[in-house]
Amino acid sequence: QVQLVESGGGLVQAGGSLRLSCAASGSIFRSSTAGWYRQAPGKQREQVARITSGGYTNYADSVKDRFTISRDNAKNTVYLQMNSLKPENTAVYYCNAEGALYMYWGQGTQVTVSS
Protein backbone atom coordinates (compact mmCIF):
# COMPACT_ATOMS: atom_id res chain seq x y z
CA GLN A 1 0.00 0.00 0.00
CA VAL A 2 1.08 3.59 -0.65
CA GLN A 3 0.24 6.67 1.38
CA LEU A 4 0.71 10.04 -0.28
CA VAL A 5 0.98 13.40 1.47
CA GLU A 6 1.03 16.59 -0.58
CA SER A 7 2.46 19.90 0.56
CA GLY A 8 3.51 23.23 -0.87
CA GLY A 9 0.19 24.69 -1.89
CA GLY A 10 -0.85 28.20 -1.00
CA LEU A 11 -1.80 31.63 -2.27
CA VAL A 12 0.34 33.23 -4.96
CA GLN A 13 -0.07 36.15 -7.33
CA ALA A 14 -0.41 35.61 -11.05
CA GLY A 15 3.01 35.14 -12.61
CA GLY A 16 4.42 33.62 -9.46
CA SER A 17 5.71 30.15 -8.72
CA LEU A 18 5.01 27.30 -6.35
CA ARG A 19 6.61 23.93 -5.83
CA LEU A 20 4.39 21.09 -4.74
CA SER A 21 5.79 18.01 -3.05
CA CYS A 22 4.26 14.60 -2.58
CA ALA A 23 5.89 12.33 -0.04
CA ALA A 24 5.10 8.66 -0.41
CA SER A 25 5.37 5.73 1.93
CA GLY A 26 5.65 2.21 0.65
CA SER A 27 8.36 0.56 -1.37
CA ILE A 28 6.22 0.12 -4.46
CA PHE A 29 6.22 3.87 -5.06
CA ARG A 30 9.57 3.64 -6.76
CA SER A 31 8.13 1.35 -9.42
CA SER A 32 4.92 3.37 -9.78
CA THR A 33 3.93 5.99 -12.26
CA ALA A 34 3.34 9.18 -10.29
CA GLY A 35 1.08 11.97 -11.35
CA TRP A 36 -0.34 15.34 -10.42
CA TYR A 37 -4.01 16.07 -11.05
CA ARG A 38 -6.16 19.05 -10.19
CA GLN A 39 -9.79 19.80 -9.61
CA ALA A 40 -11.22 23.29 -9.77
CA PRO A 41 -14.62 24.11 -8.26
CA GLY A 42 -17.42 22.79 -10.43
CA LYS A 43 -15.05 20.98 -12.75
CA GLN A 44 -13.86 17.43 -13.18
CA ARG A 45 -10.49 16.30 -11.97
CA GLU A 46 -7.93 16.56 -14.75
CA GLN A 47 -4.43 15.29 -15.28
CA VAL A 48 -1.68 17.87 -15.06
CA ALA A 49 1.51 15.84 -15.41
CA ARG A 50 2.78 12.30 -15.03
CA ILE A 51 6.19 10.69 -14.62
CA THR A 52 6.97 7.03 -15.00
CA SER A 53 9.34 5.07 -12.80
CA GLY A 54 11.92 5.50 -15.53
CA GLY A 55 11.53 9.26 -15.68
CA TYR A 56 9.42 9.63 -18.81
CA THR A 57 7.12 12.63 -18.46
CA ASN A 58 4.01 14.00 -20.09
CA TYR A 59 2.00 17.14 -19.51
CA ALA A 60 -1.37 18.65 -20.18
CA ASP A 61 -1.11 21.08 -23.07
CA SER A 62 -2.20 23.95 -20.85
CA VAL A 63 0.85 23.61 -18.56
CA LYS A 64 3.60 22.63 -20.98
CA ASP A 65 6.65 24.89 -20.69
CA ARG A 66 5.41 26.25 -17.34
CA PHE A 67 5.18 23.19 -15.08
CA THR A 68 7.83 20.54 -14.47
CA ILE A 69 7.28 17.20 -12.80
CA SER A 70 10.20 15.35 -11.25
CA ARG A 71 10.81 12.60 -8.75
CA ASP A 72 13.47 11.64 -6.25
CA ASN A 73 13.16 7.92 -5.68
CA ALA A 74 15.73 8.02 -2.88
CA LYS A 75 13.34 10.30 -0.99
CA ASN A 76 10.15 8.64 -2.27
CA THR A 77 8.97 12.06 -3.37
CA VAL A 78 7.51 13.55 -6.51
CA TYR A 79 7.52 17.28 -7.21
CA LEU A 80 5.61 19.71 -9.37
CA GLN A 81 7.36 22.98 -10.09
CA MET A 82 4.78 25.50 -11.27
CA ASN A 83 5.95 28.73 -12.89
CA SER A 84 4.11 31.62 -14.49
CA LEU A 85 0.96 30.71 -12.62
CA LYS A 86 -2.39 31.96 -13.86
CA PRO A 87 -5.69 32.46 -12.02
CA GLU A 88 -7.15 29.57 -14.00
CA ASN A 89 -4.59 27.28 -12.34
CA THR A 90 -6.49 27.68 -9.07
CA ALA A 91 -7.55 24.23 -7.91
CA VAL A 92 -6.95 21.48 -5.41
CA TYR A 93 -3.90 19.56 -6.62
CA TYR A 94 -3.72 15.84 -6.00
CA CYS A 95 -0.84 13.46 -6.20
CA ASN A 96 -1.34 9.89 -7.29
CA ALA A 97 0.66 6.72 -7.70
CA GLU A 98 -0.44 3.95 -9.98
CA GLY A 99 0.59 0.59 -11.25
CA ALA A 100 -1.05 -2.17 -13.23
CA LEU A 101 -3.30 -3.22 -10.36
CA TYR A 102 -3.51 -0.22 -8.08
CA MET A 103 -4.02 3.51 -7.80
CA TYR A 104 -3.53 5.63 -4.71
CA TRP A 105 -4.39 9.27 -4.08
CA GLY A 106 -3.25 11.91 -1.66
CA GLN A 107 -5.61 14.24 0.19
CA GLY A 108 -4.84 17.24 -2.02
CA THR A 109 -3.34 20.66 -1.51
CA GLN A 110 -5.03 23.95 -2.39
CA VAL A 111 -3.39 26.27 -4.89
CA THR A 112 -4.92 29.71 -5.29
CA VAL A 113 -3.63 32.17 -7.86
CA SER A 114 -4.81 35.75 -7.48
CA SER A 115 -5.04 38.16 -10.39
Side-chain angles (χ1 to χ4, degrees):
Q1 189 166 351
V2 176
Q3 292 184 326
L4 304 171
V5 179
E6 301 99 333
S7 61
L11 174 64
V12 64
Q13 288 188 332
S17 298
L18 283 175
R19 189 193 195 202
L20 305 183
S21 299
C22 175
S25 64
S27 59
I28 62 172
F29 179 77
R30 297 179 183 182
S31 60
S32 301
T33 292
W36 286 97
Y37 291 70
R38 66 188 177 192
Q39 188 167 16
K43 295 188 177 181
Q44 290 188 331
R45 190 173 297 189
E46 63 176 357
Q47 180 180 302
V48 176
R50 296 172 80 232
I51 184 167
T52 68
S53 58
Y56 177 80
T57 59
N58 60 60
Y59 298 89
D61 287 343
S62 61
V63 306
K64 282 181 180 177
D65 301 323
R66 296 189 298 120
F67 290 11
T68 303
I69 189 171
S70 61
R71 66 192 298 165
D72 184 339
N73 285 336
K75 295 182 178 180
N76 258 18
T77 302
V78 62
Y79 304 97
L80 185 67
Q81 177 67 43
M82 305 186 293
N83 299 328
S84 302
L85 283 161
K86 305 176 181 180
E88 53 263 41
N89 299 141
T90 294
V92 178
Y93 283 70
Y94 298 89
C95 171
N96 96 330
E98 64 178 286
L101 299 176
Y102 60 88
M103 180 179 287
Y104 298 101
W105 292 91
Q107 83 288 351
T109 185
Q110 176 70 46
V111 171
T112 303
V113 185
S114 63
S115 58

